[in-house]
Amino acid sequence: EYLRNYRYNPAEFYLKLLPDNNLDLRIKGPWRSTILWEVKLMSLISELYFILIENDWNLWDQGEKIFAKAEILSKLPAFADFGTRRRRSLSHHAWVVQKLRDMCPNFVGTSNVQMAWETKTKPIGTMAHEWIMGHSVLEGLRHANRFALDAWAKVYHGSLGIALSDTYGLDPFFADFDLYHAKLFDGIRHDSGDPFDFTRRCVQHYKNLGIDPMSKTLVFSDSLTPEKAVQIAKDCEGKIKCSFGIGKIGRAHV
């Protein structure tokens, strides 16, 4: 109901072009509204960049690159599109999602809910860092992960069961991710740091709790290329299940 009636307030928005051509971008207002600016603004800035700066491209050339990437991505256990904030354009993004849906049986969906609806693709994603950061203010910093996970479980009752691990570092996360949470949640998301060390530590944490790591899933989403995702997937083989949220499918060059 809140989102249905929400309207963006331009008074919360400040933007200035600096002499070195960087952007000074600031959003100031209530937390409940300022967090909603991020995806919209980043996608607009990305699209403007590919209109005004790096504009020597066309859909046909990008199509050849998408086909090459799809061939690599098809080797993964599962992956989703997380590319809204980095897209070249809205139309190009929709085209990429449709091609991946048609070409890759292991393509599981997109984090863009409207695009999922329009392309008949599954909407998919995980909790965001600001969810846990908000609980650090509302409940306390020391166990912010625990408070955020408990509140999440009360709302979703076991659905959307991937826990975000890196808001305040892995050590505080593991301290709160006890047997109860490790059994309740389907897996853990990686979004910063060494992915191979992350895999090792998560596998060991599950083993320490007496949980078979192969019954859980790690979701990787940190600056992935198709090639890097394949390397991570090979490292996870026989250790733990894995999936990938990739935000640069339709933007980075092959």
Side-chain angles (χ1 to χ4, degrees), residues 12-254:
E12 297 176 349
F13 173 78
Y14 170 85
L15 176 66
K16 181 180 180 181
L17 180 64
L18 300 177
D20 60 0
N21 284 332
N22 282 315
L23 296 177
D24 181 6
L25 175 60
R26 308 181 192 191
I27 306 298
K28 184 177 181 179
W31 179 78
R32 65 182 182 272
S33 61
T34 56
I35 61 172
L36 298 177
W37 282 93
E38 176 190 354
V39 175
K40 297 287 188 182
L41 288 176
M42 292 187 71
S43 62
L44 286 170
I45 290 170
S46 181
E47 292 185 39
L48 285 171
Y49 175 83
F50 285 106
I51 292 173
L52 301 174
I53 308 298
E54 188 181 326
N55 52 17
D56 186 20
W57 63 279
N58 57 65
L59 192 59
W60 177 257
D61 290 338
Q62 288 301 304
E64 293 182 347
K65 294 174 181 178
I66 292 300
F67 296 148
K69 290 183 180 182
E71 184 176 355
I72 300 172
L73 291 168
S74 64
K75 301 175 183 178
L76 299 175
F79 75 96
D81 159 60
F82 281 10
T84 299
R85 297 179 300 171
R86 306 168 182 86
R87 62 193 182 195
R88 289 176 179 264
S89 71
L90 172 60
S91 59
H92 179 257
H93 185 197
W95 181 83
V96 168
V97 169
Q98 291 172 337
K99 290 299 179 183
L100 293 175
R101 182 198 61 190
D102 296 340
M103 297 174 64
C104 300
N106 57 334
F107 179 65
V108 295
T110 174
S111 61
N112 189 307
V113 178
Q114 180 175 347
M115 189 167 294
W117 176 66
E118 292 174 345
T119 60
K120 295 180 173 60
T121 305
K122 182 179 180 180
I124 192 168
T126 71
M127 65 184 68
H129 295 90
E130 55 259 39
W131 172 255
I132 299 171
M133 295 165 67
H135 280 81
S136 71
V137 176
L138 296 172
E139 304 285 355
L141 177 61
R142 186 175 296 277
H143 296 292
N145 289 291
R146 183 189 306 169
F147 294 129
L149 294 176
D150 287 343
W152 188 272
K154 288 180 181 179
V155 172
Y156 294 109
H157 296 279
S159 296
L160 301 177
I162 299 297
L164 181 61
S165 63
D166 70 330
T167 306
Y168 296 113
L170 265 182
D171 289 337
F173 173 78
F174 283 142
D176 282 341
F177 200 65
D178 56 13
L179 182 62
Y180 167 76
H181 294 98
K183 285 187 173 183
L184 177 63
F185 282 83
D186 299 323
I188 308 171
R189 174 184 163 198
H190 169 269
D191 201 45
S192 62
D194 185 338
F196 303 102
D197 180 62
F198 172 81
T199 299
R200 178 188 61 80
R201 295 187 63 183
C202 287
V203 167
Q204 189 60 53
H205 185 72
Y206 280 124
K207 288 181 176 179
N208 291 342
L209 295 173
I211 296 174
D212 180 6
M214 289 301 295
S215 67
K216 298 297 180 178
T217 300
L218 300 183
V219 177
F220 295 87
S221 59
D222 179 32
S223 303
L224 294 175
T225 62
E227 294 80 4
K228 185 176 181 181
V230 169
Q231 292 177 351
I232 296 171
K234 289 181 178 178
D235 183 63
C236 290
E237 286 182 5
K239 302 175 184 176
I240 193 169
K241 291 184 290 186
C242 63
S243 182
F244 300 84
I246 304 180
K248 296 184 178 180
I249 301 173
R251 174 169 179 174
H253 296 294
V254 176

Side-chain angles (χ1 to χ4, degrees), residues 2-9 12 32-33 36-37:
Y2 172 75
L3 291 175
R4 181 191 301 272
N5 293 292
Y6 177 79
R7 298 294 182 270
Y8 286 93
N9 181 3
E12 297 176 349
R32 65 182 182 272
S33 61
L36 298 177
W37 282 93

